[in-house]
Amino acid sequence: DLRIDVQGRYLLINGRSKGRTSYRVTLPAALADTFGQTLGKDTDVTFKTGDAEPLLSGQSGVVVLDPAAQQRLSVYSVNHERLRVRAFAVTPKDWPAFIGFLRTVERDRTTLPRPPGKLVVDKTVHVAGVVDDLSETPIDLAPAFKNGLGHAIYVVEPQKQPDKRGRQLVYGWAQSTQI
């Protein structure tokens, strides 16, 4: 996923990188500036990345769970050790309140209102993975469903929120069916 752009006097190199890694870029001798002057010889530039930024992502919104997946969904994270997982058992009658919850969360990501429904899961899960690497964590929503079927609202967030950006959340409405 390497992308190289030139903006004025800057050469921008973007792509999927890994934290705490050294990279070497070789600028070819024929590389010319706006005046046609070339470097004259290949030039190596080495740089090291710092820690990867903490990240939490996953499927938000409305999710229909795969019956073969045993009422689980996956979230993906970088540099989070633990995630707080909550699930609320709901019915279709709770849909308008869920829409209100979504609007509130999207408007203000600093505070998290309580979702509608009955709290049936409130636990902390350990993230298995390597520092600075993307890790997949399965989230078990089975306790939120009656006989394996029904609806649940889920909220997953890091146990410790990073300071740099707004609140990191994965949230949504999950439906478990036999279809």
Side-chain angles (χ1 to χ4, degrees):
D1 293 329
L2 178 64
R3 191 176 79 237
I4 300 172
D5 296 308
V6 176
Q7 293 182 359
R9 62 185 193 144
Y10 297 99
L11 175 67
L12 304 173
I13 302 171
N14 292 297
R16 197 175 299 157
S17 62
K18 186 173 178 174
R20 304 178 206 195
T21 303
S22 291
Y23 291 92
R24 186 182 79 207
V25 175
T26 302
L27 302 172
L31 183 65
D33 65 14
T34 56
F35 303 105
Q37 301 172 87
T38 62
L39 285 175
K41 66 177 184 172
D42 287 354
T43 304
D44 290 338
V45 177
T46 302
F47 58 94
K48 183 174 176 138
T49 59
D51 297 351
E53 291 281 330
L55 167 80
L56 177 66
S57 67
Q59 194 166 359
S60 289
V62 179
V63 177
V64 178
L65 299 173
D66 181 349
Q70 303 170 357
Q71 290 88 34
R72 289 187 183 148
L73 61 93
S74 290
V75 295
Y76 303 90
S77 62
V78 176
N79 289 346
H80 288 299
E81 293 180 13
R82 291 179 177 72
L83 303 173
R84 180 178 183 203
V85 176
R86 289 181 292 157
F88 300 80
V90 291
T91 68
K93 291 180 183 179
D94 293 306
W95 182 256
F98 174 67
I99 296 301
F101 167 79
L102 289 179
R103 287 186 182 133
T104 301
V105 170
E106 291 303 317
R107 200 175 28 243
D108 177 14
R109 292 186 69 95
T110 59
T111 59
L112 183 63
R114 186 185 186 286
K118 179 184 176 188
L119 179 65
V120 291
V121 174
D122 189 353
K123 65 181 180 178
T124 300
V125 297
H126 178 74
V127 176
V130 178
V131 173
D132 292 327
D133 240 351
L134 186 67
S135 300
E136 179 180 5
T137 303
I139 303 300
D140 183 10
L141 296 176
F145 303 115
K146 188 174 185 177
N147 299 321
L149 303 174
H151 304 266
I153 294 172
Y154 58 91
V155 178
V156 181
E157 59 184 321
Q159 187 178 35
K160 181 181 176 189
Q161 286 284 347
D163 296 331
K164 293 184 179 183
R165 297 186 187 150
R167 184 181 214 113
Q168 292 186 3
L169 293 169
V170 174
Y171 54 91
W173 179 291
Q175 179 180 12
S176 179
T177 71
Q178 293 177 338
I179 300 175

